[in-house]
Amino acid sequence: MGRYLIRRTLFLILVLFIISALTFVIFLKLPAGDPARRAAGRRATESTIRQVRINLGLDKPWYVQYGRFAKGLIPWPGFFLNEQVYFSYFNNVPVKEQLYSRIPYTAVLALGGAATWLLLGIPIGIVSAIRRRSFVDRAGMVFALFGVSAPVFWLGFLFLFFFWFKFNQWFGWGFPPSGIPTEESLGTAVLKGRFLLPWLVLSFTFAAFYARMVRGNLIETMGEDYIRTARAKGLSERRVIFKHGLRAALTPVVTMFGMDMGYLLGGAIITETVFRIHGLGDYAIRSLFTNDFPAVMGVTIFASFFIVVANLLVDVAYAFLDPRVRYQ
Amino acid sequence: MAEPLLEVRDLKVHFPTEDGLVKAVDGVSLSLGQGETLGVVGESGSGKSVTFLSVMGLITKKQARIEGEIIFKGQNLLDLPPEEMRNIRGSGMSMVFQDPMTSLHPYYRVGDQVVEAIRAHQPIPKKEAFAQAVSMLKRVGIPRPEERARQFPHEFSGGMRQRAMIAMALSLNPDLLIADEPTTALDVTVQAQILDLIDRLREEFNASVVIITHDLGVVAEHCDNIMVMYAGRVAEFGDRGDIYHGAHHPYTWGLLQSITRVDQPKTERLRPIKGLPPSLIFVPPGCPFHPRCPYRFAPCDVEIPPLLSPDGKHASACHLPLEDKERIFQEEVEIRA
Amino acid sequence: MTAPDTTASPAPPGHRGQTPLIQLVGVKKYFPITRGILIQRKIGQVHAVDGVDLEVYPGETVGLVGETGCGKSTLARCITRLFDITEGQVFFDGQDITKHNRRHMRPLRREMQMIFQDPYASLNPRKTVGTIIGDPFRVHGTVPRNRIKPEVQQLMELVGLNPEHYNRYPHEFSGGQRQRIGVARSLALRPRLIVCDEPVSALDVSIQAQILNLLEDLQEEFNLTYVFIAHDLSVVKHMSDRVAVMYLGRIVEIAPGDTLYENPKHPYTGALLSAVPIPDPVLAAQKRRIVLEGDVPSPIDPPSGCRFHPRCPNAQFPKCKEDDPRLTPHHPGQVAACHFPLEDRAVIEELAK
């Protein structure tokens, strides 16, 4: 196991390098205006701009520039996204600060969404698998098809339209629209229900996907020989389904979940934009639009870090869940 | 005469499918006494597995149309509510399946799976059940059973897995053990070990055993009575001597003539049965074997031959008169000594 | 390089003086087991085939029998050079083909073919039967395009298939019919040698007999040589002139079928024979049982000395643990590798006359 972890950690660093290099190359080639000019501000003079350029190290050759960024890849305090390099062109604040302040919003969105989609998707999947071709199964799969096909932004606006706007019109009250006012703390925002609509929208797509997955896996598992053995032992059908069938069927779902969480922690861009939540996804979009290169690098690396770590945790979890994998 | 342990009367199991009604079992009757072994022989599609899956209640009226009676220790199992059937399944009668690789749950330890079987029928504490499980594993010949009980199925070899399955099946001292192709997936030396084990345990537990197989050699060596099935019906029923030294059904003759034998020289050519096994949806009219039978005559494609026994023991479902059956066996089938 | 003059076992009667069609000398095939972080290190090997000498003469059928892990399937693939062998030599008709690369092997592929076990997996489900059987013609260019279909249909008739089913797909055929397709495909180029790897194990008993008879008929008609592999000793014995018994990568005994049955010399052969169920209660009762303990050991770390010693009921120490026995002659045509071979009639009392 130790050997395995070392190998995966090395891969982690390798992946971060590749991603950062690619991002760097993309930015190098992008004809998007002179970052020094933008950083210097509107009414900067030529000499100021030149000075800013030197300060930001933009006059150095490309490999030196990359080298400075590369130092910020090492996931160790003091190195990771260090302030000297990862300094926003736009805001003049360290990227790290911005990221850390936004993570809680993304985390609340991701975790709440995850809880919702698991509570929604898994039971639908189980019932659909057990009662195949019943009404519940068909309705569940229609829901799944809808959820998987509906674009998130469309769904988001649809929800806002109905549950906020129309509800206000009809009932005098609607779900809060969730653009979080600056004076409100995160805790208050959650309690006021500002996250309900974003959670629902986010979970819709995932719930649909998970329902289908659980259904498919469970149907397959229930056809295995060991289920027949379990029934032959005289076990109750409930025990057969949950202890024998579901246990095996959920293992791939757990790994899927891990990866989805890793992905979401990097920022659910569309959901955050539609509902005006100041999380990592929102930050990523803004940095791109303002050509804020260090910010983009920073958020990309940050998000990649989560995904790679999530993958690693998922593999470790799998070894716990499936004893056959342990003995490599 | 003592009451039989298991009696099946005219069992029919039909599966409705998109292509039509699959008559997997179409009128099977048999009788099994306490402590007896029955070998059920047939090829794929003969209905041998479906018959006993229905006896165990693993095929239910929800999946198929079931008619007839399955009488176990005086009770008709088909009349029982699912709860009561569940009580019998695993404790009064149990089943062992073909592929031990896939028949045990890969995620749970072997000992725990045996414990589960025990505790499903006996409300005893886990520790006690585990001790019972370990002693069962020992009885089936698994070395170092305390250690092995804590291992996972993939750490066992094929033969050991099958032993574990047998341990699980016998842990509640059932009266009937059904073994569905228990050795087909195993090497021949392991097969011999497992069959010997079943023989030994049958005596120790005083259980009746049904061995379902396609291997005529296995039933010759381990079964008192033999039932030959074809296309969902019983073709012939008799004891060892009846079947191997005086069979009365053309299908049995066909099987005996088409199998390879170690004790036969190479020059002895095999005489295969012509044609292919029939579809279970469009079963041939009359005797289902008639399209492949070299001895068919007038009634064979019209009337279904009943399973009749001239001496009350050895029965066959064939229109041929008894003298013809005996003559044909002696002249054509009997292995020249 | 030419084949060595001395052979592992004496040539069977009727083949004295002939060059063997296949000769294996000291063939070993090992599969590496690797482990490592970034770079894979070899930490062990699977000794799938661990020193086999064998000759197969033209026109005969040599059977290979053994249990899981004995290496018979691997050996089959070494004979037809589907694998590169780790050590040793393979001769085809006197020619050393051990190191032949793909290009050199190509013309030889017309002379040696294989039939596989699983009739469901060994046929490409996306190709029609006609295409499957006709492919060898296309690959080797032996038949002009316009003659392919009639040739294929002729082959189909030969193996008992309806030539009108030329355009059907494998899934439209039964298991036995699919196996016939495999046979037809292997016959297309009129090979001299066909290696049959468990050709009937997946089939029902009544279909097995049909396919076995077909194989026998074809052997006579086309003067084929067979290497016949199966785990079912009764099937192997029925098809073969001589039978080689394999255990953990080695051949432990070779003998003509009847000799093997009446007088097995190696205890493993005896155990195999006594384990095969005989479909005759009277004869079965007369069998003497040689029961083995335990399971087949892993070919990764074979036991020292005689590989069979941990399970052998006859083993005597220290000899069997230290000394690896060589194949020595017994009855005519029979060799066995054992220090304390079985007595005559060890398993069967009465002969089947």
Side-chain angles (χ1 to χ4, degrees), chain A residues 1-300:
Chain A
M1 181 53 77
R3 196 189 309 246
Y4 178 73
L5 283 174
I6 295 172
R7 182 158 37 154
R8 295 303 298 257
T9 313
L10 288 176
F11 275 143
L12 164 68
I13 299 179
L14 182 67
V15 167
L16 288 181
F17 263 108
I18 294 174
I19 291 176
S20 63
L22 282 172
T23 315
F24 185 79
V25 164
I26 291 173
F27 257 80
L28 217 59
K29 293 301 173 190
L30 225 61
D34 187 1
R37 187 182 299 273
R38 308 204 80 180
R42 273 179 207 232
R43 279 184 261 129
T45 58
E46 280 304 316
S47 56
T48 324
I49 296 175
R50 237 176 294 128
Q51 187 56 48
V52 168
R53 185 170 289 125
I54 293 172
N55 283 357
L56 292 176
L58 291 166
D59 52 332
K60 301 244 172 48
W62 64 269
Y63 44 87
V64 175
Q65 288 196 45
Y66 179 69
R68 302 171 73 221
F69 278 109
K71 261 214 293 220
L73 290 178
I74 303 168
W76 203 258
F79 280 103
F80 196 54
L81 301 181
N82 56 76
E83 296 179 8
Q84 297 80 38
V85 183
Y86 290 86
F87 203 86
S88 167
Y89 289 165
F90 190 63
N91 290 358
N92 278 315
V93 291
V95 169
K96 203 162 46 167
E97 242 174 62
Q98 303 237 279
L99 292 178
Y100 287 176
S101 72
R102 282 165 175 266
I103 269 260
Y105 289 86
T106 301
V108 167
L109 179 63
L111 290 169
T116 317
W117 91 56
L118 288 176
L119 284 171
L120 205 59
I122 294 185
I124 292 181
I126 295 177
V127 175
S128 294
I130 299 175
R131 301 201 191 293
R132 274 214 272 179
R133 299 191 221 283
S134 68
F135 173 73
V136 177
D137 180 22
R138 286 190 226 263
M141 288 305 107
V142 167
F143 155 75
L145 189 61
F146 176 70
V148 163
S149 328
V152 177
F153 65 85
W154 179 80
L155 212 57
F157 284 122
L158 195 73
F159 270 52
L160 275 173
F161 182 67
F162 271 110
F163 295 111
W164 174 55
F165 184 64
K166 279 296 179 188
F167 270 33
N168 256 312
Q169 268 192 355
W170 298 334
F171 310 121
W173 168 87
F175 281 84
S178 77
I180 299 169
T182 34
E183 62 288 353
E184 232 174 47
S185 76
L186 183 56
T188 327
V190 173
L191 287 171
K192 277 202 176 170
R194 290 198 190 277
F195 275 89
L196 282 173
L197 287 182
W199 281 341
L200 274 174
V201 168
L202 188 62
S203 71
F204 224 71
T205 316
F206 285 99
F209 190 67
Y210 276 62
R212 278 171 73 114
M213 200 189 188
V214 168
R215 177 185 189 271
N217 283 355
L218 191 56
I219 288 176
E220 200 183 307
T221 325
M222 293 301 282
E224 294 278 353
D225 286 343
Y226 52 80
I227 296 293
R228 181 182 54 180
T229 306
R231 291 203 178 111
K233 292 201 286 202
L235 302 179
S236 70
E237 192 62 13
R238 169 185 282 166
R239 203 179 164 93
V240 172
I241 294 172
F242 285 92
K243 191 153 185 260
H244 288 250
L246 204 57
R247 175 78 166 69
L250 283 184
T251 310
V253 176
V254 166
T255 61
M256 195 79 228
F257 181 71
M259 298 207 286
D260 283 338
M261 279 310 289
Y263 167 71
L264 279 182
L265 284 174
I269 294 177
I270 299 176
T271 312
E272 289 181 13
T273 310
V274 168
F275 289 99
R276 283 181 286 157
I277 298 173
H278 298 302
L280 288 179
D282 180 62
Y283 187 68
I285 287 287
R286 286 192 196 204
S287 318
L288 277 169
F289 284 152
T290 57
N291 275 310
D292 192 348
F293 184 44
V296 171
M297 279 291 270
V299 78
T300 311

Side-chain angles (χ1 to χ4, degrees), chain C residues 40-116:
Chain C
Q40 301 284 57
R41 283 177 302 121
K42 193 166 87 167
I43 56 166
Q45 324 206 62
V46 179
H47 300 87
V49 176
D50 206 1
V52 164
D53 297 311
L54 181 67
E55 296 82 40
V56 179
Y57 291 89
E60 68 164 343
T61 303
V62 171
L64 271 184
V65 71
E67 299 182 298
T68 320
C70 70
K72 55 191 193 294
S73 282
T74 310
L75 186 62
R77 283 155 180 71
C78 291
I79 292 175
T80 53
R81 289 296 327 281
L82 287 175
F83 284 156
D84 288 326
I85 61 176
T86 311
E87 240 184 80
Q89 291 167 301
V90 180
F91 293 91
F92 182 79
D93 206 11
Q95 195 191 19
D96 187 343
I97 63 169
T98 318
K99 297 274 192 288
H100 273 33
N101 60 18
R102 259 203 166 154
R103 201 163 48 86
H104 286 130
M105 278 304 297
R106 213 155 187 262
L108 288 175
R109 293 255 167 261
R110 288 167 28 195
E111 316 236 23
M112 53 165 97
Q113 285 287 318
M114 268 187 92
I115 300 174
F116 300 95

Side-chain angles (χ1 to χ4, degrees), chain C residues 337-352:
Chain C
C338 182
H339 298 303
F340 304 101
L342 298 172
E343 298 291 319
D344 280 354
R345 304 256 203 292
V347 178
I348 307 297
E349 189 59 55
E350 277 279 315
L351 297 168

Side-chain angles (χ1 to χ4, degrees), chain C residues 74-235:
Chain C
T74 310
L75 186 62
R77 283 155 180 71
C78 291
I79 292 175
T80 53
R81 289 296 327 281
L82 287 175
F83 284 156
D84 288 326
I85 61 176
T86 311
E87 240 184 80
Q89 291 167 301
V90 180
F91 293 91
F92 182 79
D93 206 11
Q95 195 191 19
D96 187 343
I97 63 169
T98 318
K99 297 274 192 288
H100 273 33
N101 60 18
R102 259 203 166 154
R103 201 163 48 86
H104 286 130
M105 278 304 297
R106 213 155 187 262
L108 288 175
R109 293 255 167 261
R110 288 167 28 195
E111 316 236 23
M112 53 165 97
Q113 285 287 318
M114 268 187 92
I115 300 174
F116 300 95
Q117 171 176 358
D118 193 341
Y120 297 88
S122 58
L123 299 178
N124 188 335
R126 301 198 204 293
K127 291 191 175 183
T128 60
V129 158
T131 314
I132 292 173
I133 299 176
D135 267 346
F137 295 136
R138 278 174 218 107
V139 168
H140 290 267
T142 46
V143 170
R145 289 205 96 98
N146 56 349
R147 294 276 319 152
I148 290 186
K149 182 164 178 183
E151 281 289 322
V152 169
Q153 289 182 314
Q154 214 177 52
L155 279 169
M156 287 174 77
E157 268 197 64
L158 204 58
V159 301
L161 290 169
N162 185 343
E164 289 172 22
H165 294 167
Y166 184 85
N167 281 318
R168 290 203 182 168
Y169 288 89
H171 69 265
E172 300 179 66
F173 292 87
S174 72
Q177 289 173 319
R178 272 185 251 205
Q179 204 58 308
R180 290 177 198 265
I181 296 171
V183 173
R185 172 176 64 178
S186 67
L187 274 179
L189 298 171
R190 298 288 186 271
R192 288 203 273 166
L193 169 74
I194 299 186
V195 175
C196 311
D197 189 357
E198 306 262 17
V200 294
S201 312
L203 303 174
D204 270 329
V205 163
S206 54
I207 310 294
Q208 271 192 26
Q210 294 175 7
I211 301 294
L212 290 176
N213 279 1
L214 171 67
L215 288 173
E216 283 184 329
D217 292 339
L218 292 172
Q219 181 175 38
E220 238 192 82
E221 187 163 340
F222 294 100
N223 202 25
L224 297 168
T225 308
Y226 285 147
V227 172
F228 193 91
I229 299 163
H231 62 266
D232 186 336
L233 187 50
S234 62
V235 173

